[in-house]
């Protein structure tokens, strides 16, 4: 039976590449989106991957959305990719409480929401793959991103704690920390700031979404059951730990 996979933020950028790649590997994959219905519909038409709309920052919306997605897919989610994320970049001395809390809610609390709602069925069945998409900026910090760096560093701690709780139940929980990848999010970085960043990437270019998806597909496989609690950096050599 095809494994059921759900990818949040799965209709654009890195998430869309992950959804395509999991589908190509034989999964019964679905994607969650929030704001951009037009792009989501185009993605659905092009890939045949079903899309569902809800706000991953909202626990009740996740509960209702997950229920309808699982009904459509024909069973509980076995592979969960928490990819949805936003930026609200500002220096801390200018950052509003809203810029802080929106990023924490969408980038970190979403992992709690989606995992909390999916983990019970994974535990009962003795199988699960959870892959949380973190960021290089949660590992090293980034000028202008106290909110995002805090959220993504939080994702790394969350991943390790949940990996410990889940290891004996056949569930692996890992984090992937991409560097700067050619997506809408990175395209929104001011040109000067992006030029400064690109100069720090030894590989000499931005990453491609498909280069992140390759690793996620590997971690999602049944055969990857001994890999858990790990953080994988994919950043073109920009930050080596
Ligand atoms: N290091 C040191 N100094 C820096 C700096 C840096 N990285 N970036 C800017 N500065 C300096 C500027 O030169 C400027 O100095 P002066 O006042 O002496 O001229 C000062 O800091 C203020 O800079 P700005 O005028 O740019 O300040 P701002 O308030 O208009 O904007 C900012 C600040 C929002 C942080 C803007 O610089 C920015 O957007 N930077 C990019 C942040 C970034 O990399 N975001 C990543 C988004 S992609 C992503 O997050 C995906 C992922 O996971 C990798």
């Amino acid at each position: 039976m095809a494994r059921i996979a759900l990818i949040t933020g799965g209709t654009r950028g890195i998430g869309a590449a992950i959804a395509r790649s999991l589908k190509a590997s034989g999964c019964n994959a679905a994607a969650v989106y929030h704001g951009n219905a037009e792009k989501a519909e185009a993605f659905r038409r092009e890939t045949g991957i079903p899309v569902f709309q809800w706000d991953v920052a909202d626990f009740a919306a996740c509960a209702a959305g997950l229920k309808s997605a699982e009904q459509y897919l024909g069973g509980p989610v076995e592979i969960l990719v928490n990819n949805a994320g936003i930026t609200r970049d500002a220096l801390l001395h200018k950052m509003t409480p809203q810029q802080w809390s929106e990023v924490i809610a969408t980038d970190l609390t979403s992992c709690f929401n989606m995992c909390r709602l999916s983990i019970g069925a994974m535990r009962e069945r003795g199988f699960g793959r959870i892959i949380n998409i973190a960021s290089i900026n949660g590992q090293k910090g980034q000028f202008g991103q106290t909110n995002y760096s805090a959220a993504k560093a939080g994702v790394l701690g969350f991943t390790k704690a949940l990996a410990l709780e889940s290891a004996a139940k056949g569930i692996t929980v890992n984090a992937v920390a991409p560097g700067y990848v050619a997506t809408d999010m990175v395209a929104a970085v001011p040109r000067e700031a992006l030029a400064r960043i690109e100069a720090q990437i030894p590989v000499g270019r931005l990453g491609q979404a498909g280069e992140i998806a390759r690793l996620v597909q590997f971690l999602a496989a049944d055969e990857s059951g001994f890999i858990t609690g790990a953080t994988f950096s994919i950043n073109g050599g920009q930050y080596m730990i």
Side-chain angles (χ1 to χ4, degrees):
M1 270 290 270
R3 293 282 188 201
I4 295 180
L6 188 72
I7 304 95
T8 69
T11 60
R12 293 195 290 139
I14 292 173
I18 294 170
R20 285 172 194 269
S21 156
L22 289 178
K23 184 183 182 195
S25 74
C27 290
N28 183 9
V32 182
Y33 72 98
H34 184 214
N36 197 329
E38 207 177 300
K39 280 239 171 118
E41 178 53 22
F43 171 82
R44 187 195 63 75
R45 261 198 320 261
E46 189 197 329
T47 62
I49 295 171
V51 300
F52 296 87
Q53 193 268 337
W54 74 79
D55 180 359
V56 292
D58 177 338
F59 188 79
C62 289
L66 192 62
K67 199 170 160 196
S68 55
E70 289 184 335
Q71 256 163 18
Y72 180 91
L73 293 164
V77 169
E78 298 169 290
I79 299 166
L80 172 64
V81 183
N82 287 307
N83 166 77
I86 58 167
T87 54
R88 297 286 183 267
D89 294 354
L91 301 176
L92 184 75
H93 63 268
K94 299 182 193 170
M95 189 177 285
T96 63
Q98 191 179 354
Q99 287 173 317
W100 171 264
S101 51
E102 282 180 1
V103 169
I104 299 298
T106 302
D107 297 12
L108 177 58
T109 306
S110 60
C111 290
F112 167 78
N113 292 342
M114 292 302 299
C115 289
R116 176 68 185 82
L117 290 161
S118 314
I119 200 100
M122 291 182 185
R123 290 173 70 89
E124 269 170 33
R125 294 157 76 104
F127 179 86
R129 296 281 180 268
I130 295 173
I131 298 136
N132 297 321
I133 306 302
S135 165
I136 184 175
N137 294 343
Q139 297 173 296
K140 71 167 187 58
Q142 169 60 38
F143 191 100
Q145 285 197 311
T146 49
N147 50 5
Y148 187 85
S149 296
K152 294 298 191 177
V155 168
L156 300 182
F158 175 87
T159 298
K160 292 174 196 174
L162 187 58
L164 282 173
E165 293 182 12
S166 309
K169 298 287 183 187
I171 304 165
T172 65
V173 190
N174 291 291
V176 173
Y180 284 75
V181 175
T183 60
D184 293 348
M185 185 185 274
V186 167
V189 174
R191 204 138 53 96
E192 257 179 42
L194 190 56
R196 238 190 325 246
I197 288 159
E198 279 176 318
Q200 294 162 14
I201 305 175
V203 167
R205 61 170 175 83
L206 297 177
Q208 295 297 320
E211 293 175 307
I212 311 302
R214 276 171 64 80
L215 178 59
V216 174
Q217 183 184 317
F218 181 86
L219 295 172
D222 282 23
E223 296 79 7
S224 295
F226 203 57
I227 306 173
T228 196
T231 299
F232 295 87
S233 302
I234 312 186
N235 59 37
Q238 188 183 347
Y239 187 64
M240 301 183 187
I241 46 170

